[in-house]
Amino acid sequence: MLDLPGKIKSLIGEEKYLIDDVGMSDSSVFLFHDKVLKIQTISEESQNEYHVMEWLQDKLPVPKILGFERDEKKSYLLMTKAHGEASCSDKYLQNPEQLTVMLAEGLQMLWKVDISNCPFICDLEKKLQMAKYTVENNLVDMDDVEPGTFGENGFKNPDHLLEWLNNNKPEEELVLSHGDFCLPNIFLANGKVSGYIDLGKTGISDKWQDIALCYRSLLHNFDGKYTGKQYQGFNVDMLFEKLEIEPNWDKIRYYILLDELF
Ligand SMILES: Nc1ncnc2c1ncn2[C@@H]1O[C@H](COP(=O)(O)OP(=O)(O)OP(=O)(O)O)[C@@H](O)[C@H]1O
Ligand SMILES: [Mg+2]
């Protein structure tokens, strides 16, 4: 059995688990029958995830917190398992119309949350500070970037990209932003969002942050980048038609570039 703090251990008992290997961060995720345990190195993001999840309990479909413990190095978040399936599952990728409707609603639900008393700030200033840290500490994963970001017709290196981002900050339209609105982080059931998970970067931010990553994630889940399997029938217009807004490509590009540094 895992070496866990007493309280978490007693909540789990002897239950069997599966290890989830979707995530790309340093966290470990253990899937139980109806619970999930996420163990992370303590960081601003792991703390934020717990506090935001608590704040959102009665506001949005997020997992219920069953337990939270910390030791010197790690945090242990025990939560309920989201119902349904992640929006990158085969079933949804085979139905682009239905998928984009649900994701557009998922974005709009976030924007409807009243942020006047929201204590979590993840705006551009904050993100650029975080990006400065990752760049200065050589933490940018150069194997996980969009083709063309760096190299001959792109930026020389992460420093160069960060400088450009600092010099080209867009106006922000502040809303509650998920912060990593990628398909594996949005669970769907019964035709709607059943769980927003992975809330380390959730807080007040520009609405185009989530639109940009949602767009990028749709594109790559359909073009087979992650699984090798391509799906047909998605085009970009579908998302913006459902959102009833015109795409702002400068902002979309900006936030995709910013995400290269995380
Ligand atoms: N409450 C939950 N309910 C259902 N599945 C979950 C839950 N929490 C995590 N998972 C599963 O574990 C995966 C990894 O969890 P999560 O996204 O929180 O971790 P991460 O390591 O921060 O991932 P990332 O690579 O996106 O940073 C999710 O994509 C999902 O499949
Ligand atoms: Mg995730």
Side-chain angles (χ1 to χ4, degrees):
M1 187 57 196
L2 296 161
D3 185 20
L4 298 172
K7 249 197 204 156
I8 298 283
K9 210 175 198 155
S10 67
L11 288 164
I12 291 170
E14 296 298 312
E15 210 182 302
K16 300 246 178 326
Y17 59 84
L18 284 173
I19 297 180
D20 183 286
D21 56 5
V22 173
M24 301 206 291
S25 59
D26 83 330
S27 61
S28 313
V29 174
F30 301 88
L31 304 173
F32 296 86
H33 170 63
D34 56 1
K35 307 181 199 53
V36 175
L37 175 63
K38 184 168 178 179
I39 306 178
Q40 287 173 279
T41 305
I42 293 180
S43 65
E44 231 182 302
E45 278 194 37
S46 69
Q47 295 295 106
N48 191 64
E49 172 155 42
Y50 166 58
H51 291 298
V52 168
M53 201 175 272
E54 202 173 35
W55 189 76
L56 284 174
Q57 292 288 299
D58 54 357
K59 298 182 178 71
L60 284 178
V62 293
K64 286 209 164 40
I65 299 172
L66 304 171
F68 184 74
E69 294 287 312
R70 259 170 288 211
D71 57 25
E72 313 83 68
K73 287 199 186 121
K74 304 267 179 196
S75 70
Y76 303 78
L77 173 61
L78 184 66
M79 59 191 140
T80 55
K81 201 188 243 180
H83 294 296
E85 288 174 62
S87 50
C88 54
S89 72
D90 191 68
K91 159 174 150 181
Y92 293 120
L93 293 172
Q94 298 207 20
N95 285 291
E97 272 295 332
Q98 188 199 18
L99 175 62
T100 41
V101 168
M102 292 188 280
L103 290 173
E105 279 171 13
L107 288 166
Q108 288 161 339
M109 273 158 66
L110 285 160
W111 305 340
K112 281 188 198 137
V113 172
D114 178 5
I115 53 167
S116 50
N117 290 311
C118 175
F120 312 101
I121 314 290
C122 281
D123 61 2
L124 203 43
E125 193 187 328
K126 172 87 192 203
K127 289 220 180 69
L128 288 167
Q129 262 172 32
M130 287 162 72
K132 183 166 183 268
Y133 180 86
T134 59
V135 170
E136 283 177 353
N137 291 280
N138 279 323
L139 298 171
V140 177
D141 181 357
M142 297 297 279
D143 295 328
D144 182 32
V145 293
E146 294 289 299
T149 297
F150 298 106
E152 225 174 289
N153 299 314
F155 295 93
K156 279 187 271 193
N157 50 40
D159 274 300
H160 183 209
L161 170 55
L162 181 60
E163 188 189 322
W164 184 87
L165 291 166
N166 275 310
N167 291 334
N168 290 277
K169 283 185 260 183
E171 283 270 323
E172 294 173 273
E173 273 174 75
L174 297 178
V175 293
L176 182 73
S177 153
H178 176 283
D180 192 12
F181 200 104
C182 301
L183 272 50
N185 290 337
I186 311 300
F187 273 63
L188 306 171
N190 305 319
K192 51 182 199 276
V193 173
S194 57
Y196 298 91
I197 62 163
D198 205 357
L199 306 176
K201 293 199 184 77
T202 302
I204 297 178
S205 186
D206 188 355
K207 75 194 281 189
W208 290 90
Q209 160 76 42
D210 286 352
I211 297 174
L213 296 202
C214 179
Y215 157 72
R216 186 189 63 186
S217 189
L218 278 165
L219 210 60
H220 291 327
N221 275 282
F222 278 90
D223 72 15
K225 177 177 175 184
Y226 305 117
T227 60
K229 180 168 177 185
Q230 287 182 6
Y231 293 84
Q232 307 302 319
F234 168 73
N235 71 66
V236 183
D237 301 338
M238 288 162 72
L239 179 67
F240 293 98
E241 275 161 23
K242 316 279 171 345
L243 287 171
E244 296 181 356
I245 51 180
E246 288 296 315
N248 181 334
W249 289 110
D250 288 340
K251 277 192 154 196
I252 292 170
R253 176 160 182 267
Y254 184 93
Y255 284 105
I256 291 176
L257 285 172
L258 176 60
D259 197 61
E260 301 285 37
L261 299 180
F262 294 108

